[in-house]
Amino acid sequence: MLPERVGYVPPCWAHWLHHVPHVSLRFQAVDDTFRPQDEDYQQSLLFLACVAAAGLGLTLLALAVYLSCLCCCRTEDEEDETKKPNSCCVTWTAVTAGLLCCVAVGVGFYGNSETNDGVYQLTYSLYNANHTLAGVENLVTGTVGSMQSGLKAHLSRLDEIFATRQDFVQTLQFTQKMSDNVVKQLLGLPDWQQTKVNLATLAERAAFIEYYRWLTYMLILILDLVVCLAACLGLAKQSRCLLTTMMVFGVLILILSWASLGADLATAVGVSDFCVSPDKFIMNQTKDVISYNIVQYYLLCSQTLSNPFQQSLTVFQRSLTTMQVQVQGLLQFAVPLFPTAKRDLMSIQHLLNSSETSLHQLTALLDCRGLNKDYLDALMGVCYDGVEGMLYLCVFSLLAAAAFCTMLCAIPRAWRQITTRQRGYDDVEEEDPFNLRTQRVTPQQPHQGDHGNLHTFCSYNSSMGSQISLHPAAAPPTSNTPVTEYMNQSAVFGGTPRYENVPLIGRGSPPPSYSPSMRATYLSMTEDQMRHFGEDFRA
């Protein structure tokens, strides 16, 4: 049973996600302990992704049913819909979709940033821990090398110099014994090489995956925003080509949203399972590399736990002190008798001083506070910022899916209204005497030098004098279109045919023209208004 941890408490959302049912693909309950190598546990996370895939299928099915009903149903009165299109529902639906999309993109940017900060803190802590372990390894290797090679060489030369003095030779043998004891204690420390490699590989892999994850979400967020703005532009411009393109992109983004939701949910649940009991997982992973007591000492760093390296460091310190005392005695008593031994004794003293410095550095690096701080920072980054960011990304995926579902429902209705409205405009323009496409121009008579008949009315710019002076006998014959066609047009105003309604042929005046405002006035007139207008015009 592990002692209670001080300094780390799993966040509440980690507990919530940890209690999400873990079900395998065979619909069997699975233990919620974090076991990424276990096949059943992997299936339980894959099952969560399959739930998101099922949501995507239901969404596409609902959209297909909606579009089928929209295509099959027809309005009872298309003329009323043409005159007064019911576009309020489409407008508010588009506004709702735009607002949801903007909120989703904002939440997505925040969640992506939070997740990136958490993973960055994880990799930074792993690199710091890797640097600490590398420092320990370098100190141990350097001290052992200096003891086994440098010290041994100096002692061998001194043994030749002090060959005539047995007491000095015994002192050298005792010093060699202390040196062997130091080497034995240092070699008894754990081999950090394998652990160091694992931490470095883990940090590099996490940084690599996070970079492409962050870049992918940035592209998805930008794509969502661009498609949303383009769809709103298409609705405003009533561009059917743009709406069709945005509908295709909307379906694509809908699929991406549900896929990202499944991936984020499965990742968040898996990381939360780790965050609830991280110590247990790490101890199980390192039991074949480092002893249980050492891992527990660094993970918990509790005052109730003793330093497993304290005995080795103490023996190291005592051995160095003993050797320094012996070397100092030889410098004091042997050098006056053997001056040639001073150089080797001074080198040995310098080596022992360097070893003592290494001892102090090694003691500081092996203390649990440094590695435990890196461990806690990594947990805070992953379990707080990382999982929180993934939850925000899940919310982003849901909001984006809802926004583009709403947009996919609004675009077909807008398309239908645009088509109906344009059909109504085409019908009006075919009956509109002001429409240039309904005007048929007859070829010019070469012997008369005037224009053919036009399907128009007299311009207000025609002078009254020219109308009064016009006589029926003076009206020139028409070449193709009979005059009765123009006389029938005057019936629109409710009057009888008069000479002022005769086409302007042979008068020497230009054809009548109509301004856009006059044409708009004509289109907006009802039948009664046109009749009154005809009576006033004849009067």
Side-chain angles (χ1 to χ4, degrees):
M1 186 68 181
L2 293 175
E4 185 178 357
R5 165 177 296 283
V6 178
Y8 170 74
V9 177
C12 57
W13 49 80
H15 286 288
W16 298 340
L17 293 173
H18 179 66
H19 289 92
V20 171
H22 291 63
V23 182
S24 66
L25 297 179
R26 294 184 294 271
F27 298 98
Q28 296 177 354
V30 178
D31 185 15
D32 55 5
T33 304
F34 184 68
R35 293 169 290 116
Q37 294 85 5
D38 186 72
E39 183 179 358
D40 292 335
Y41 184 80
Q42 294 175 359
Q43 290 184 4
S44 67
L45 298 181
L46 185 60
F47 181 81
L48 297 175
C50 293
V51 171
L56 172 62
L58 293 176
T59 303
L60 294 178
L61 180 61
L63 286 175
V65 172
Y66 171 79
L67 294 177
S68 300
C69 295
L70 188 63
C71 293
C72 294
C73 297
R74 293 290 184 268
T75 57
E76 297 180 357
D77 191 0
E78 293 185 356
E79 294 182 358
D80 294 341
E81 186 178 356
T82 302
K83 294 178 181 179
K84 296 180 180 180
N86 187 15
S87 61
C88 182
C89 179
V90 176
T91 302
W92 282 108
T93 303
V95 170
T96 303
L99 291 177
L100 281 176
C101 185
C102 293
V103 173
V105 170
V107 173
F109 272 112
Y110 179 76
N112 195 35
S113 177
E114 283 292 303
T115 305
N116 183 259
D117 291 342
V119 177
Y120 174 78
Q121 190 170 354
L122 168 66
T123 56
Y124 183 78
S125 300
L126 289 176
Y127 280 124
N128 277 346
N130 186 72
H131 179 72
T132 300
L133 296 179
V136 172
E137 185 68 21
N138 292 333
L139 288 174
V140 171
T141 303
T143 304
V144 170
S146 62
M147 290 291 177
Q148 289 180 342
S149 60
L151 183 61
K152 185 176 182 180
H154 292 298
L155 291 178
S156 297
R157 285 194 295 269
L158 289 175
D159 187 65
E160 295 176 357
I161 296 174
F162 298 149
T164 59
R165 294 291 301 265
Q166 190 64 28
D167 53 344
F168 292 162
V169 172
Q170 291 179 354
T171 302
L172 295 177
Q173 292 177 353
F174 183 75
T175 304
Q176 181 64 47
K177 184 178 179 180
M178 292 293 102
S179 174
D180 294 339
N181 195 17
V182 169
V183 172
K184 180 181 178 180
Q185 297 299 325
L186 292 177
L187 292 179
L189 296 176
D191 184 12
W192 303 99
Q193 187 66 29
Q194 185 66 29
T195 306
K196 181 182 67 174
V197 172
N198 290 338
L199 289 179
T201 304
L202 180 61
E204 291 175 358
R205 185 179 303 175
F208 177 80
I209 295 175
E210 171 59 21
Y211 172 75
Y212 285 100
R213 185 210 63 81
W214 176 85
L215 182 61
T216 301
Y217 265 100
M218 289 297 294
L219 294 177
I220 292 176
L221 291 168
I222 294 173
L223 180 62
D224 285 6
L225 190 59
V226 170
V227 171
C228 180
L229 295 177
C232 294
L233 180 63
L235 291 173
K237 294 291 186 179
Q238 297 184 356
S239 173
R240 288 184 290 183
C241 179
L242 186 57
L243 289 178
T244 303
T245 305
M246 292 305 105
M247 195 167 183
V248 174
F249 277 99
V251 175
L252 175 62
I253 292 178
L254 187 63
I255 296 174
L256 290 177
S257 298
W258 281 103
S260 63
L261 175 63
D264 290 334
L265 183 60
T267 305
V269 171
V271 175
S272 297
D273 293 339
F274 166 78
C275 293
V276 170
S277 56
D279 301 337
K280 181 179 180 181
F281 171 75
I282 294 177
M283 289 181 179
N284 292 332
Q285 293 296 314
T286 58
K287 62 183 179 181
D288 297 332
V289 181
I290 306 175
S291 67
Y292 176 84
N293 293 332
I294 296 175
V295 177
Q296 184 181 20
Y297 170 72
Y298 283 112
L299 294 183
L300 301 179
C301 195
S302 175
Q303 294 180 355
T304 59
L305 298 176
S306 60
N307 188 345
F309 308 110
Q310 186 64 44
Q311 183 178 357
S312 298
L313 295 176
T314 301
V315 173
F316 187 5
Q317 176 67 45
R318 290 177 180 176
S319 299
L320 282 179
T321 303
T322 302
M323 286 189 290
Q324 288 175 344
V325 171
Q326 297 297 324
V327 170
Q328 187 65 30
L330 290 175
L331 285 172
Q332 183 177 1
F333 298 104
V335 169
L337 301 176
F338 303 95
T340 57
K342 182 178 180 179
R343 180 178 178 182
D344 289 318
L345 290 175
M346 293 299 294
S347 298
I348 292 175
Q349 189 178 35
H350 178 71
L351 189 149
L352 294 178
N353 292 333
S354 299
S355 299
E356 186 177 9
T357 303
S358 299
L359 172 64
H360 294 310
Q361 294 177 357
L362 188 62
T363 302
L365 291 176
L366 290 177
D367 188 76
C368 67
R369 288 174 291 182
L371 289 175
N372 183 259
K373 180 181 181 301
D374 295 332
Y375 176 59
L376 292 180
D377 290 342
L379 287 180
M380 291 294 181
V382 172
C383 300
Y384 280 82
D385 294 339
V387 178
E388 182 185 5
M390 283 186 284
L391 288 178
Y392 278 110
L393 289 178
C394 290
V395 175
F396 153 72
S397 300
L398 289 175
L399 290 177
F404 283 95
C405 281
T406 307
M407 187 176 296
L408 290 175
C409 292
I411 289 178
R413 294 186 64 88
W415 176 284
R416 184 176 179 181
Q417 289 186 3
I418 293 171
T419 304
T420 305
R421 188 175 303 172
Q422 290 183 352
R423 188 187 306 120
Y425 287 160
D426 292 339
D427 295 340
V428 172
E429 287 178 355
E430 290 177 358
E431 300 175 357
D432 184 10
F434 294 102
N435 188 4
L436 295 177
R437 290 185 297 178
T438 61
Q439 298 176 3
R440 295 193 298 270
V441 181
T442 59
Q444 182 177 0
Q445 299 295 334
H447 63 279
Q448 293 177 351
D450 52 4
H451 296 280
N453 295 335
L454 301 175
H455 288 231
T456 57
F457 296 96
C458 294
S459 172
Y460 290 125
N461 296 331
S462 300
S463 61
M464 294 300 295
S466 63
Q467 293 179 9
I468 295 173
S469 62
L470 183 63
H471 298 285
T478 59
S479 59
N480 292 325
T481 307
V483 178
T484 56
E485 184 177 350
Y486 300 96
M487 304 299 238
N488 292 333
Q489 290 181 0
S490 64
V492 178
F493 296 97
T496 58
R498 295 182 63 182
Y499 291 112
E500 61 265 26
N501 301 114
V502 178
L504 300 178
I505 300 174
R507 290 190 182 183
S509 60
S513 59
Y514 295 89
S515 63
S517 60
M518 293 176 62
R519 184 174 182 270
T521 304
Y522 172 76
L523 291 176
S524 62
M525 284 184 178
T526 62
E527 184 177 355
D528 294 337
Q529 289 175 339
M530 287 191 292
R531 184 180 296 110
H532 288 91
F533 176 77
E535 293 175 358
D536 295 340
F537 182 76
R538 289 194 303 272

